[in-house]
Amino acid sequence: AFITITYNESTETFNLIPIKMKKIVLALSAILVLVSCAQTKQWTDKERTEVKEVVRAHKEKTMLKHMEDNNFANIENCVVTTVEGTYPDYNKYDKLTGKTDTLTSVMINCTTEMLGANYEHLPLVFPYPQLQSIGILPADLTPDQISAFYTCFTGKVKEAYPQPATFAQDMCVDPGTTDIIIVMLQQCAQELQGTPAPAAKK
């Protein structure tokens, strides 16, 4: 027995495809569809929100806490997208023995990406308004003064951390990094005002 295939409004009889072969092809197609669906399984909005909440909680333990919400949202989305892409099945991710370490590692990578290869986005991590609120910088600085401050700060960070990945890792996991960063910020603020600055800690 043979099958008849219709296409382009015309009918042709193919003598090369028997009915049994058609059944095998259909079965294989069904399997491929199931595999494809399994691979493209997506998390629910609730699951993504749960991960974002964990990332936000970790943010408050680091110097990333000074980031404005709209900028930190880029890191949150990066973390969720990366983890979801690696573990399309949320249950497999949720049952990971090292789930916390996995999430921290991804957060470090996303923070590294946020900083930029030459620390060009460092002002987004330590925005001027937040530095005012914690008493590092005075209000009403001119654009040139703000630019000079960030040039100074970026230079000090580069000197201590030539690789943004190292800086991102220390910011996310090493509590002692907070003191180092505060000293750098204070030094650049004092240099801006023309007063002597204490030696930086490393």
Side-chain angles (χ1 to χ4, degrees), residues 15 35-36 38 50 62 84-85 98 105 108 124 132 163 165 181 202:
N15 297 321
V35 171
S36 176
E50 288 176 356
T62 72
E84 182 177 358
S105 177
I108 291 169
L124 297 181
Q132 286 184 65
Q163 299 299 323
I181 295 174
K202 291 188 178 180

Side-chain angles (χ1 to χ4, degrees), residues 2-182:
F2 300 91
I3 64 171
T4 298
I5 298 178
T6 300
Y7 66 98
N8 293 333
E9 299 182 352
S10 65
T11 302
E12 294 284 349
T13 301
F14 289 84
N15 297 321
L16 300 176
I17 308 177
I19 293 292
K20 288 183 179 180
M21 182 64 73
K22 176 186 176 185
K23 291 180 179 179
I24 293 174
V25 171
L26 291 174
L28 288 174
S29 297
I31 292 173
L32 290 173
V33 168
L34 290 174
V35 171
S36 176
C37 289
Q39 290 178 339
T40 58
K41 183 176 181 181
Q42 293 184 333
W43 292 6
T44 65
D45 289 340
K46 179 182 178 184
E47 290 165 346
R48 294 188 186 100
T49 299
E50 288 176 356
V51 172
K52 286 184 179 181
E53 287 175 350
V54 174
V55 174
R56 287 185 203 123
H58 190 75
K59 168 193 175 186
E60 294 305 314
K61 302 175 184 176
T62 72
M63 288 300 287
L64 294 174
K65 65 185 177 183
H66 298 297
M67 289 187 69
E68 295 176 347
D69 290 342
N70 60 327
N71 289 322
F72 188 74
N74 293 327
I75 293 181
E76 288 179 357
N77 292 331
C78 173
V79 171
V80 171
T81 300
T82 302
V83 178
E84 182 177 358
T86 306
Y87 300 96
D89 186 343
Y90 179 83
N91 290 327
K92 290 184 178 180
Y93 160 71
D94 195 42
K95 293 177 181 177
L96 283 178
T97 302
K99 183 172 69 171
T100 300
D101 291 339
T102 296
L103 198 62
T104 301
S105 177
V106 174
M107 187 172 177
I108 291 169
N109 290 338
C110 289
T111 301
T112 301
E113 184 177 331
M114 174 70 177
L115 288 168
N118 293 307
Y119 291 103
E120 58 266 26
H121 298 143
L122 198 58
L124 297 181
V125 183
F126 301 93
Y128 174 43
Q130 293 299 323
L131 295 181
Q132 286 184 65
S133 69
I134 62 175
I136 296 293
L137 290 175
D140 302 324
L141 289 180
T142 67
D144 286 345
Q145 288 175 316
I146 294 173
S147 177
F149 170 82
Y150 282 115
T151 297
C152 170
F153 181 45
T154 300
K156 292 183 182 298
V157 171
K158 279 185 176 180
E159 183 180 358
Y161 300 92
Q163 299 299 323
T166 306
F167 183 56
Q169 178 172 336
D170 282 3
M171 273 203 303
C172 291
V173 302
D174 185 0
T177 304
T178 298
D179 293 336
I180 296 173
I181 295 174
I182 289 294

